[in-house]
Structure formats: structure tokens, C-alpha cells
């Protein structure tokens, strides 16, 4: 399984970015996908996730109402639309895949330990 995150960059506060995570090597529709953020000198924390069937999603309190996660299984891609960006959103964003088929298809995992595979990360910098 390989995950390729892209779309990061430098943006002013209040701006927007759209991250993409392309998943290859597996059939994506049995994998929940999550986005995690690691700020400078901070631990990696969950930002958003989407269940394998796409019907459930999770957002951390810090991004709720500003970020939107979506998935396109035909393109094997998960997106994170980030609006109204703040300086505290700065960090490396990682996407991760967790195998949740059948009975777990409605579950949007929130913890790093619930994911099996990780991408390399993309840097997001929000200037004030």
C-alpha cells in the first residue's frame, strides 16, 4: 500500500488549500482514510477522517466547520479542503489508511494506532 499526499504550500491566514491523498496498491473502498497534522515541536494529531464507505467522518474540534474531507474511490483519492486557515494549522499533514471492511465500514478512525499505512506528508504553512 502506498499513499501520496500533495497540495500543501504557503498561504496567508484566511486562505484555503486542498490536500489530496492518492492511494495505490489496494482497493481503496475497504480502507478508512485519515489526515493527521504534526506542528513544529508537537506530536502528531488526528485532524479528520472518513470511513471506508464514505458515510461517516470525523473532525477535530480545532478544524470543525473549516475543513471538509471527501473521497473518490474511482480515482483512489481522498481530499481535505481547508478553508479559513489559521497560523495554528501550520504543520506537516500526513494521510493514513486503515483496513476497515464489512462491519467496520461506517467507522471513521480517530487515533494513529488505528491506521496501518502512512504517506510521506505535505507541508502546510499559514502566515499571519
Amino acid at each position: 500500500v502506498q499513499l501520496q499526499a500533495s497540495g500543501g504550500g504557503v498561504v496567508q491566514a484566511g486562505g484555503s488549500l486542498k490536500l489530496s491523498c492518492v492511494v495505490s496498491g489496494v482497493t481503496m473502498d475497504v480502507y478508512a482514510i485519515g489526515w493527521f497534522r504534526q506542528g513544529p515541536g508537537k506530536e502528531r494529531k488526528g485532524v479528520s477522517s472518513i470511513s471506508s464507505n464514505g458515510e461517516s467522518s470525523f473532525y477535530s474540534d480545532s478544524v470543525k466547520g473549516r475543513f471538509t474531507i471527501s473521497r473518490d474511490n474511482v480515482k483512489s483519492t481522498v481530499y481535505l479542503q481547508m478553508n479559513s486557515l489559521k497560523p495554528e494549522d501550520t504543520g506537516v499533514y500526513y494521510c493514513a489508511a486503515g483496513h476497515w471492511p464489512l462491519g467496520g465500514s461506517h467507522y471513521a478512525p480517530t487515533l494513529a494506532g488505528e491506521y496501518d499505512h502512512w504517506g510521506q506528508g505535505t507541508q502546510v504553512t499559514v502566515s499571519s
Side-chain angles (χ1 to χ4, degrees):
V1 180
Q2 291 187 326
L3 295 93
Q4 181 72 42
S6 63
V10 180
V11 64
Q12 288 190 330
S16 298
L17 284 173
K18 187 174 186 177
L19 305 185
S20 298
C21 176
V22 178
V23 181
S24 60
V26 293
T27 302
M28 200 180 79
D29 60 2
V30 292
Y31 281 82
I33 306 295
W35 286 97
F36 289 75
R37 176 172 68 206
Q38 188 164 18
K42 297 182 180 180
E43 64 180 312
R44 192 176 299 187
K45 289 189 175 181
V47 172
S48 182
S49 62
I50 188 166
S51 60
S52 60
N53 67 4
E55 295 181 3
S56 300
S57 59
F58 157 79
Y59 297 96
S60 68
D61 288 342
S62 64
V63 307
K64 202 170 293 182
R66 299 188 296 121
F67 290 11
T68 303
I69 193 169
S70 61
R71 64 189 294 154
D72 184 339
N73 286 349
V74 174
K75 295 182 178 180
S76 295
T77 303
V78 172
Y79 305 97
L80 186 67
Q81 177 67 48
M82 306 187 296
N83 298 329
S84 303
L85 283 162
K86 304 176 180 180
E88 50 263 44
D89 294 321
T90 293
V92 179
Y93 283 70
Y94 299 88
C95 60
H99 191 224
W100 292 91
L102 302 177
S105 62
H106 291 274
Y107 181 54
T110 63
L111 303 176
E114 296 178 295
Y115 291 89
D116 309 301
H117 309 283
W118 292 80
Q120 87 292 355
T122 184
Q123 176 71 45
V124 172
T125 302
V126 184
S127 61
S128 57

